[in-house]
Amino acid sequence: MTILVIAEHTNAALAPATLNTVAAAAKIGGDIHVLVAGAGCAAAAEAAAKIAGVAKVLVADNAAYAHQLPENVAPLVAELGKGYSHILAAATSNGKNVLPRVAAQLDVDQISEIIAVESTDTFKRPIYAGNAIATVQSSAAVKVITVRSTGFDPVAAEGGSAAVEAVSGSADAGKSAFVGEELAKSDRPELTAAKIVVSGGRGMQNGDNFKHLYALADKLGAAVGASRAAVDAGFVPNDMQVGQTGKIVAPQLYIAVGISGAIQHLAGMKDSKVIVAINKDEEAPIFQVADYGLVADLFEAVPELEKLV
Amino acid sequence: MKVLVAVKRVVDYNVKVRVKADNSGVDLANVKMSMNPFCEIAVEEAVRLKEKGVASEIVVVTIGPNTAQEQLRTALALGADRAILVESNDELNSLAVAKLLKAVVDKEQPQLVILGKQAIDSDNNQTGQMLGALTGYGQGTFASKVEVAGDKVNVTREIDGGLQTVALNLPAIVTTDLRLNEPRYASLPNIMKAKKKPLDVVTPDALGVSTASTVKTLKVEAPAARSAGIKVKSVAELVEKLKNEAKVI
């Protein structure tokens, strides 16, 4: 049994989600190979070879794979994947974009966002915005799976010494082209990997008021997130959204400020170890999942909290 | 150009679902059902393309039980021209749905297929991408902006770190993200008119598609409940608890 893990990377560096995906592969058991498909991705491949537990790194370095366009990457993965028992990718926007296309090319079902490995063919995954957990079994020859990072502790990034092997794949399929991207700049830790997350909702009232959360986050070394209400109101960009349709986080400490706690928001954060809610409405549903709740005006409580931590 | 929109009948997003006592699934008896929110956005985008003169006809399709006709009528009331129900009472996986949609695409030959990015019941986020593979079309997933220009469509996508724009050759597949648009409400006169619009019913067999699956659900359980928390009286007490009791800061 050999497992192929699709590396999540920026060509120059490996994304942390790859380490969680390798951890899921290790739980399944068997040899683990990592595929790094990109353009000028030697640095990412080198980092992949150092991951503990990885037996081999396959590198497909081709201009066609530069931006991970699924029309180009999926045929490569499907072709390579035929010889493997499992193909795993992180359930990031990239993994979700590419992997179902691979599964359909291999004519197998895909299992999305697993949070636990029961056996080599049985997995657990949340459905209905995390309000139910399904145990699913696959009889597919190649099991194609995306992995929810917060369900698995990352393996060590150092300590391995895998062989690196170049592979070639099909060229540009000519169906799509990368035009451009706008990435939000932030010096704070990445939302999905942060140990502490401070999130604001509609109660923040405007984008300027998020400065209170940024100040608190900087003091705690935390990432800043938001509810859909705050994103839709234009307070913050959409990549900060936590929830069923945004990012799934499970930090040590999640501080929800001015967030009512709709089902869709809870789906993205209720696996956090400790949840703190600050809200002036004591009936807000967020208090039903909060370990520590403070009924108070956030504009008084947050600055005071910042001073005391 | 012709636009095909796929919609799904799902439990209403405001319903707090309950797991059945025998762990066979989620209890959907007597629960309010609606069109999946992402599908509403897909219908709205198609209607806007028609209003701009880009789309000439909107065909809406769903795969599900006979009751899913309600969601097709909703889409017709919102501005779709005609509807297709692929009637199946089985719970189908994404690959089977994608294969059925491929058969509809082959028949209808749309230039653009719009789907939601995920259904809020199974949370799979697979069907659009799988349809992309089966048809060989390019895919613009998680779209927050769609612009048709000549024989190409420019799709701005929501990715983890921000936004990415890709140009796809038509025909192409687009899956909608929440911020693509704000869906309209159906007006009463349009709901009445929608009752007269054509709605065809076909079966998977008639389309020549096998809906067999390689994945089966063994059981469905309620997630582990969180133990009840406490309310603190002051910020000072909160900080004290976080430092000494929870030890997280």
Side-chain angles (χ1 to χ4, degrees):
Chain A
M1 210 168 61
T2 317
I3 301 169
L4 182 64
V5 171
I6 317 299
E8 173 84 15
H9 66 91
T10 59
N11 290 318
L14 212 55
T18 307
L19 301 175
N20 306 79
T21 313
V22 170
K27 284 236 164 97
I28 295 169
D31 279 350
I32 300 171
H33 295 181
V34 174
L35 170 67
V36 180
C41 54
E46 220 169 278
K50 287 187 192 144
I51 300 175
V54 172
K56 201 199 294 186
V57 174
L58 307 174
V59 187
D61 202 326
N62 188 319
Y65 308 141
H67 300 286
Q68 311 283 329
L69 294 176
E71 297 80 5
N72 299 343
V73 174
L76 167 77
V77 177
E79 192 51 43
L80 286 172
K82 276 176 189 157
Y84 288 88
S85 60
H86 298 72
I87 305 176
L88 267 56
T92 53
S93 57
N94 245 331
K96 290 174 184 177
N97 194 26
V98 174
L99 218 61
R101 202 169 168 113
V102 172
Q105 287 199 319
L106 292 169
D107 195 25
V108 295
D109 290 289
Q110 184 198 291
I111 301 177
S112 292
E113 302 218 21
I114 61 162
I115 53 168
V117 173
E118 297 288 288
S119 70
T120 56
D121 65 356
T122 308
F123 309 91
K124 283 188 190 242
R125 61 176 302 263
I127 53 176
Y128 289 91
N131 287 302
I133 308 294
T135 305
V136 294
Q137 187 174 43
S138 170
S139 57
V142 184
K143 293 163 186 67
V144 179
I145 297 164
T146 61
V147 176
R148 181 174 286 188
S149 304
T150 57
F152 300 88
D153 292 330
V155 296
E158 302 282 335
S161 55
V164 179
E165 184 183 302
V167 292
S168 59
S170 44
D172 194 333
K175 288 170 187 157
S176 56
F178 172 82
V179 177
E181 63 188 3
E182 281 172 58
L183 299 180
K185 287 200 173 62
S186 172
D187 300 329
R188 293 187 186 84
E190 202 208 347
L191 194 50
T192 52
K195 291 230 171 358
I196 303 177
V197 174
V198 181
S199 276
R202 202 196 304 271
M204 298 306 296
Q205 295 177 2
N206 59 50
D208 193 40
N209 284 336
F210 263 74
K211 66 177 185 236
H212 298 299
L213 299 189
Y214 293 135
L216 175 61
D218 288 343
K219 201 110 177 250
L220 292 167
V224 178
S227 70
R228 185 184 166 196
V231 173
D232 281 353
F235 300 173
V236 291
N238 58 36
D239 54 299
M240 284 170 64
Q241 186 184 326
V242 172
Q244 183 185 19
T245 57
K247 296 200 169 114
I248 314 284
V249 301
Q252 294 289 308
L253 172 62
Y254 188 89
I255 306 179
V257 182
I259 292 176
S260 65
I263 296 173
Q264 292 78 12
H265 185 74
L266 300 182
M269 46 64 82
K270 68 181 173 157
D271 292 326
S272 305
K273 188 162 168 269
V274 175
I275 298 173
V276 170
I278 301 175
N279 205 304
K280 64 180 175 189
D281 174 12
E282 61 180 315
E283 301 295 320
I286 190 79
F287 286 120
Q288 292 165 18
V289 299
D291 298 280
Y292 302 106
L294 176 64
V295 179
D297 184 344
L298 68 94
F299 295 107
E300 286 164 21
V302 173
E304 195 186 338
L305 184 56
E306 190 216 322
K307 269 195 216 102
L308 290 178
V309 294
Chain B
M1 69 179 191
K2 191 194 271 190
V3 178
L4 182 73
V5 182
V7 302
K8 185 177 185 186
R9 175 184 170 89
V10 298
V11 64
D12 189 85
Y13 72 96
N14 281 314
V15 172
K16 184 137 173 53
V17 297
R18 281 178 201 287
V19 171
K20 285 187 199 166
D22 66 356
N23 293 119
S24 63
V26 163
D27 193 358
L28 295 181
N30 304 315
V31 168
K32 187 184 176 201
M33 304 294 278
S34 302
M35 191 190 296
N36 180 43
F38 291 100
C39 303
E40 286 183 357
I41 295 168
V43 172
E44 175 68 28
E45 194 63 18
V47 174
R48 289 186 189 191
L49 286 172
K50 194 174 175 190
E51 286 169 348
K52 275 191 253 176
V54 176
S56 52
E57 188 188 22
I58 303 168
V59 181
V60 60
V61 57
T62 195
I63 293 151
N66 198 267
T67 45
Q69 287 200 18
E70 284 170 34
Q71 280 63 48
L72 291 176
R73 291 290 171 200
T74 303
L76 292 170
L78 291 169
D81 294 296
R82 60 191 172 85
I84 302 169
L85 167 66
V86 180
E87 194 173 341
S88 168
N89 289 313
D90 302 331
E91 214 170 293
L92 300 177
N93 283 323
S94 304
L95 184 64
V97 171
K99 285 178 178 176
L100 290 165
L101 290 176
K102 159 80 162 57
V104 175
V105 167
D106 285 347
K107 219 163 112 188
E108 296 286 340
Q109 296 289 320
Q111 285 295 100
L112 193 61
V113 186
I114 313 181
L115 304 89
K117 81 163 176 181
Q118 76 190 61
I120 59 164
D121 51 0
S122 53
D123 281 334
N124 271 326
N125 196 332
Q126 299 173 1
T127 307
Q129 294 89 312
M130 287 180 160
L131 183 61
L134 299 176
T135 55
Y137 298 165
Q139 67 187 48
T141 52
F142 328 143
S144 62
K145 197 171 161 198
V146 175
E147 281 176 326
V148 177
D151 60 351
K152 286 194 192 302
V153 56
N154 284 314
V155 180
T156 301
R157 309 176 50 236
E158 296 199 3
I159 58 170
D160 286 339
L163 298 170
Q164 179 196 62
T165 304
V166 292
L168 309 172
N169 298 348
L170 291 173
I173 315 268
V174 168
T175 74
T176 63
D177 214 320
L178 280 173
R179 271 161 291 277
L180 181 58
N181 60 47
E182 186 112 354
R184 70 192 68 189
Y185 291 98
S187 66
L188 189 58
N190 285 343
I191 292 171
M192 301 310 287
K193 274 184 226 160
K195 291 184 178 169
K196 296 205 177 75
K197 289 186 181 176
L199 191 159
D200 289 332
V201 180
V202 294
T203 61
D205 285 345
L207 292 171
V209 174
S210 158
T211 56
S213 170
T214 53
V215 171
K216 65 175 179 196
T217 300
L218 301 181
K219 64 179 173 190
V220 175
E221 299 159 294
R226 290 189 75 94
S227 51
I230 56 161
K231 289 244 172 83
V232 293
K233 296 212 165 43
S234 66
V235 173
E237 189 187 347
L238 175 65
V239 172
E240 190 272 322
K241 295 270 189 210
L242 290 177
K243 280 193 173 145
N244 302 323
E245 198 175 281
K247 297 186 178 21
V248 284
I249 57 172

